[in-house]
Amino acid sequence: MFDFFISLEWKFIADLLPFQLLGFIPTVIYMEKLETSNVMMILGKGCIWILLLWGAVKLLWHKAIKRLVIHGG
């Protein structure tokens, strides 16, 4: 989108991470600065992040419950 990154590697990494979905992307969508196809692709990437993080939480929760020991009443 914008060329203000130091290198293409950093831009690639920043585009993969979900942090732009917190404020930048909703603002750009609201201001109608993106095409519909790009919006759908970005929302799809957001859904993938949601599924990945949900799976990580489920896995960690399952491991934590296995180790949980409660003593007393």
Side-chain angles (χ1 to χ4, degrees):
M1 273 191 258
F2 302 104
D3 295 328
F4 58 86
F5 282 97
I6 295 172
S7 67
L8 292 177
E9 292 85 16
W10 282 108
K11 183 180 181 333
F12 177 74
I13 292 170
D15 285 342
L16 287 179
L17 296 174
F19 300 115
Q20 64 183 348
L21 296 169
L22 297 175
F24 176 70
I25 296 299
T27 304
V28 173
I29 292 172
Y30 178 74
M31 294 171 52
E32 298 179 356
K33 300 286 183 179
L34 289 177
E35 297 177 8
T36 305
S37 61
N38 287 344
V39 171
M40 299 309 281
M41 184 182 69
I42 290 169
L43 291 177
K45 188 179 0 175
C47 290
I48 290 170
W49 269 107
I50 289 170
L51 291 174
L52 286 172
L53 293 174
W54 178 75
V57 167
K58 291 286 280 183
L59 177 69
L60 292 173
W61 183 260
H62 182 68
K63 286 187 174 191
I65 291 298
K66 280 182 153 181
R67 294 185 59 144
L68 180 66
V69 177
I70 299 175
H71 297 287

